[in-house]
Amino acid sequence: MSRTLTLTASMIRSYKTCPRRYELEYIEMLKPAVPLEALETGSNYHARIEALLKGEDWSRDGVVGKMVEAFDRFVPWRDWDVAKVEEEFSIRLGYGLYLQGKMDGILADGTPIEHKTSGVAVNEKYIDRLAWDDQVSVYLLALSLVRGTPVTRV
């Protein structure tokens, strides 16, 4: 019998946080009855940023609309030369072991884009923490494996 294991950054983060949490979330498939507000905000933000980067209409309603308006106004994304948005990947790490995910985008030069929302001030400590973020690390690893050369910029 052939068995496979597919890992995502969320699965890795869950296991690192608490192996029991991982078991409940990914083996027992239990989810919170009420989604966390922060997760809903992040999902809404990502959906609207995706639409913005694709040149599609997006809702300017609420706090998330203001966040995306700020991104559009203050981040020089039009200079980025975005080649792909919401790019899915699945990388074979070994026999029956895969790494899977979806990058927020990829620039024409191959640099991955990853959008993060946060309830804390963006300062030097926050920026340093991003370098160790599970999702960013997984994406850099996946691109490095696909390209056969280290990808160190996001």
Side-chain angles (χ1 to χ4, degrees):
M1 176 190 326
S2 175
R3 293 188 183 256
T4 63
L5 175 61
T6 299
L7 296 174
T8 65
S10 297
M11 294 169 82
I12 293 167
R13 182 181 313 112
S14 178
Y15 189 84
K16 284 174 53 179
T17 301
C18 174
R20 178 71 174 140
R21 175 183 173 173
Y22 172 87
E23 179 183 357
L24 293 171
E25 196 172 1
Y26 292 101
I27 296 173
E28 300 296 329
M29 303 303 286
L30 297 175
K31 302 288 181 191
V34 178
L36 296 173
E37 184 179 352
L39 292 177
E40 285 187 10
T41 299
S43 294
N44 274 327
Y45 177 78
H46 272 76
R48 294 183 200 189
I49 288 289
E50 176 185 357
L52 173 69
L53 294 178
K54 288 181 172 180
E56 300 171 354
D57 289 332
W58 51 276
S59 171
R60 286 163 168 73
D61 295 342
V63 172
V64 175
K66 297 298 180 205
M67 290 166 59
V68 176
E69 283 181 354
F71 176 92
D72 187 28
R73 183 172 174 196
F74 297 111
V75 175
W77 67 270
R78 287 177 183 83
D79 300 334
W80 290 356
D81 198 10
V82 177
K84 298 176 183 176
V85 177
E86 293 297 316
E87 184 69 13
E88 293 186 23
F89 67 89
S90 182
I91 308 293
R92 183 177 182 265
L93 298 176
Y95 182 76
L97 181 60
Y98 294 86
L99 186 60
Q100 183 176 301
K102 186 190 305 185
M103 293 180 213
D104 292 335
I106 299 180
L107 302 182
D109 71 0
T111 302
I113 302 169
E114 178 57 29
H115 302 289
K116 294 288 183 195
T117 56
S118 175
V120 299
V122 176
N123 56 26
E124 191 173 310
K125 184 177 178 182
Y126 174 82
I127 300 296
D128 289 343
R129 203 173 74 227
L130 280 180
W132 296 101
D133 181 79
D134 294 317
Q135 195 168 20
V136 171
S137 298
V138 163
Y139 295 170
L140 292 174
L141 172 63
L143 285 172
S144 295
L145 291 171
V146 166
R147 297 178 185 163
T149 186
V151 177
T152 59
R153 189 180 121 168
V154 65

